[in-house]
C-alpha cells in the first residue's frame, strides 16, 4: 500500500518589534518610496537581542500544535530550515527537541538559505513515503536581522525575522505533498552570501548580495521549477488555487506569477508586512493565509523559492 504525506498542522510566529520603512530612515539613507516601489516592503518584524531563532521556532511549533490539536508527543522527527541558527552547533532543531522533551528521535537543521523549507518538504516527504517516520515537525525559522549589515542600505531594508511551521503526517489518501523539485547551481555563490563562517574566518559574517543578478535568475528559475513540479504530478496552472512564492520582493513575485500565467488574485503575498524572512517566508505566508481564511481545506498550492547558492525548488501540495 502506498503512503502519502498530508499536512496536518500549520503555525507561525513573528517577533513583536516592528521596523517600518520610516524607522529605517533613522538608520540608513533611504526612503519609503525607494523601498516600497522596488520591493513592495513596508515593514519587517525584528527579533530582540535575547530572542533567538530557536525561540521563534518553538513558538511557531506551539502555534501548529495548538491550531491542529496534535500532541507534540507524536512527533518522531524534527527538521529546521535556517540560515541563522542560534549556534554554529548544536543544531537549532535539537534545542526545539529539548523544549518539547522529545527523547530519542532525530532532529537536524538544513541549510539551503531561502529554499530551505522546500528542501525540507522534499526530505520530509521522502522520510514519510519510505515509512521511516509518521509525524514530522518541519520549521522554517530565521533571525536575519542579526546578520544584515545595518550600514548597507542595499540589503538591510530587505530582510525580516519570523518562523513558520508544518506538521507532516503519514496518510493512506493521495493528498498533501503531490510533488517536489529541488535544485542548486554553485556558479552563483558570489551573488548572495554571508562574508563569514567557522572555517573561513571564524566570524558569523554579514549578508552580501548582487541584487540584479538574483532578480534575473529568480523569475526564470522559480517559474521553471514550478512548471516542472506541476508536470510531475500531472497538474496544470488552472488547477492551482493559490500560488505561494518565496516572499523576497513583490516585483519578483508578480513577474513569476505572470510568467506562469497565474493571476495576482491567486497569488499570496505577505512581503509588504513581513519582508524577506528567508526559509520562514513560505510557511509563514501559508499559515497567515490559512488563519485569514484565504487558504481553505482541499486547496491546491504551488510553492516555489530561490536562495543563496543558488538553491531553488518548488512543491505542489493539497491542503
Ligand atoms: N534606499 C535608497 N537608495 C538605495 C537603496 C536604499 N535602500 N539601496 C540602494 N540604493 C541606491 C543605490 O545606491 C543606487 O544608487 P546609485 O545609482 O547612485 O549608485 C540605486 O539605488 C540603484 O541601486 P540598484 O542596486 O541598482 O537598485 P535596483 O533597482 O537593482 O534595486 C533591489 C535593488 C531592490 C535589491 C533589486 O535588485 C532586487 O529586487 N533584487 C532582487 C534581490 C532580492 O530580492 N534579494 C533578496 C534576497 S535573495 C532571495 O531571497 C531570493
Amino acid at each position: 500500500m502506498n503512503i502519502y504525506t498530508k499536512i496536518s498542522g500549520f503555525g507561525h510566529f513573528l517577533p513583536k518589534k516592528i521596523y517600518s520603512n520610516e524607522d529605517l530612515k533613522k538608520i540608513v539613507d533611504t526612503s519609503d518610496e525607494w523601498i516600497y516601489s522596488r520591493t513592495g516592503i513596508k515593514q519587517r518584524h525584528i527579533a530582540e537581542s535575547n530572542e533567538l531563532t530557536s525561540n521563534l521556532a518553538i513558538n511557531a511549533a506551539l502555534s501548529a500544535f495548538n491550531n491542529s490539536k496534535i500532541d507534540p508527543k507524536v512527533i518522531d522527527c524534527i527538521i529546521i530550515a535556517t540560515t541563522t541558527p542560534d549556534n554554529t552547533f548544536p543544531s537549532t532543531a535539537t534545542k526545539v527537541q529539548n523544549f518539547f522533551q522529545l527523547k530519542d528521535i532525530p532532529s537536524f537543521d538544513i541549510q539551503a538559505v531561502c529554499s530551505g523549507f522546500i528542501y525540507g518538504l522534499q526530505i520530509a516527504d521522502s522520510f514519510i513515503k519510505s515509512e521511516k517516520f509518521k509525524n514530522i515537525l518541519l520549521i522554517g525559522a530565521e533571525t536575519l536581522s542579526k546578520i544584515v549589515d545595518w550600514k548597507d542600505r542595499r540589503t538591510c531594508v530587505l530582510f525580516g525575522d519570523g518562523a513558520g511551521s508544518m506538521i507532516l503526517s503519514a496518510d493512506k489518501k493521495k493528498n498533501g505533498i503531490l510533488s517536489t523539485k529541488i535544485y542548486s547551481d554553485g556558479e552563483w555563490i558570489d551573488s548572495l552570501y554571508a562574508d563569514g563562517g567557522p572555517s573561513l574566518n571564524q566570524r558569523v559574517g554579514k549578508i552580501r548580495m548582487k541584487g540584479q543578478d538574483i532578480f534575473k535568475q529568480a523569475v526564470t528559475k522559480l517559474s521553471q521549477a514550478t512548471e516542472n513540479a506541476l508536470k510531475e504530478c500531472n497538474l496544470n496552472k488552472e488547477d492551482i488555487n493559490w500560488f505561494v512564492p518565496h516572499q523576497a520582493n513583490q516585483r519578483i513575485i508578480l513577474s513569476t506569477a505572470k510568467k506562469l500565467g497565474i493571476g495576482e488574485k491567486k497569488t499570496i503575498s505577505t512581503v509588504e508586512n513581513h519582508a524577506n524572512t528567508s526559509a520562514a517566508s513560505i510557511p509563514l505566508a501559508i499559515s497567515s493565509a490559512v488563519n485569514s481564511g484565504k487558504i481553505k481545506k482541499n486547496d491546491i498550492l504551488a510553492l516555489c523559492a530561490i536562495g543563496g547558492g543558488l538553491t531553488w525548488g518548488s512543491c505542489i501540495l493539497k491542503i
Side-chain angles (χ1 to χ4, degrees), residues 29-31 34-35 38-39 114 153-154 157-159 192 209 211-212 214-215 246 248-249 251-252 276 306-307:
D29 180 14
T30 190
S31 65
W34 193 97
I35 301 171
R38 281 179 170 77
T39 69
C114 304
R153 66 178 182 173
R154 289 167 304 160
V157 302
L158 304 175
F159 297 96
L192 181 55
M209 182 184 73
Q212 290 179 4
I214 301 295
F215 196 105
H246 170 46
N249 178 312
R251 290 189 299 150
I252 296 178
N276 182 348
I306 184 163

Side-chain angles (χ1 to χ4, degrees), residues 4-269:
Y4 301 95
T5 306
K6 79 168 174 189
I7 321 297
S8 46
F10 308 90
H12 73 269
F13 178 78
L14 289 157
K16 278 205 175 63
K17 187 164 72 184
I18 290 175
Y19 280 5
S20 67
N21 291 348
E22 292 300 322
D23 294 326
L24 292 192
K25 279 166 63 179
K26 295 172 206 151
I27 302 171
V28 284
D29 180 14
T30 190
S31 65
D32 175 56
E33 195 282 320
W34 193 97
I35 301 171
Y36 189 67
S37 64
R38 281 179 170 77
T39 69
I41 297 167
K42 277 277 181 197
Q43 63 167 47
R44 66 287 293 141
H45 290 251
I46 302 287
E48 300 289 350
S49 58
N50 63 354
E51 215 172 6
L52 309 186
T53 295
S54 61
N55 303 129
L56 273 52
I58 288 165
N59 280 307
L62 284 169
S63 148
F65 290 130
N66 289 337
N67 292 341
S68 63
K69 313 274 179 269
I70 289 173
D71 186 338
K73 285 196 191 79
V74 304
I75 298 299
D76 51 10
C77 176
I78 300 174
I79 306 173
I80 301 198
T82 185
T83 306
T84 46
D86 294 7
N87 299 70
T88 302
F89 76 87
S91 69
T92 303
T94 52
K95 290 192 167 186
V96 174
Q97 176 185 16
N98 191 43
F99 176 86
F100 288 104
Q101 292 292 297
L102 296 164
K103 299 285 180 198
D104 302 329
I105 64 161
S107 57
F108 59 93
D109 292 358
I110 49 173
Q111 163 54 295
V113 205
C114 304
S115 315
F117 200 80
I118 303 285
Y119 271 60
L121 285 170
Q122 174 147 336
I123 294 167
D125 189 38
S126 308
F127 278 169
I128 287 175
K129 282 184 176 150
S130 66
E131 299 186 48
K132 277 271 178 208
F133 305 109
K134 284 196 170 71
N135 293 291
I136 298 179
L137 173 62
L138 174 63
I139 305 173
E142 302 280 15
T143 49
L144 289 161
S145 65
K146 302 191 186 202
I147 63 159
V148 294
D149 179 350
W150 286 103
K151 293 191 184 93
D152 178 8
R153 66 178 182 173
R154 289 167 304 160
T155 52
C156 74
V157 302
L158 304 175
F159 297 96
D161 302 335
S165 60
M166 277 188 192
I167 300 166
L168 303 158
S169 306
D171 194 29
K172 289 175 189 155
K173 279 195 258 106
K174 195 173 180 192
N175 271 327
I177 298 180
L178 305 178
S179 69
T180 51
K181 287 280 184 190
I182 53 174
Y183 308 90
S184 66
D185 183 351
E187 185 190 335
W188 301 94
I189 48 175
D190 295 331
S191 295
L192 181 55
Y193 62 100
D195 61 3
S199 181
L200 179 71
N201 55 14
Q202 301 78 58
R203 293 201 296 267
V204 175
K206 301 288 181 199
I207 296 176
R208 307 294 171 207
M209 182 184 73
K210 294 180 189 160
Q212 290 179 4
D213 283 5
I214 301 295
F215 196 105
K216 282 181 208 143
Q217 290 302 314
V219 177
T220 311
K221 288 185 161 46
L222 290 173
S223 53
Q224 274 170 1
T226 308
E227 275 167 1
N228 292 344
L230 279 170
K231 204 167 156 191
E232 189 166 89
C233 58
N234 295 316
L235 292 179
N236 299 308
K237 63 174 197 234
E238 291 77 20
D239 300 312
I240 297 171
N241 299 100
W242 295 105
F243 179 50
V244 194
H246 170 46
Q247 306 288 311
N249 178 312
Q250 184 70 356
R251 290 189 299 150
I252 296 178
I253 292 171
L254 293 183
S255 304
T256 308
K258 193 173 171 197
K259 196 157 183 172
L260 284 163
I262 298 170
E264 194 174 342
K265 282 196 179 140
K266 284 187 167 187
T267 302
I268 301 282
S269 177

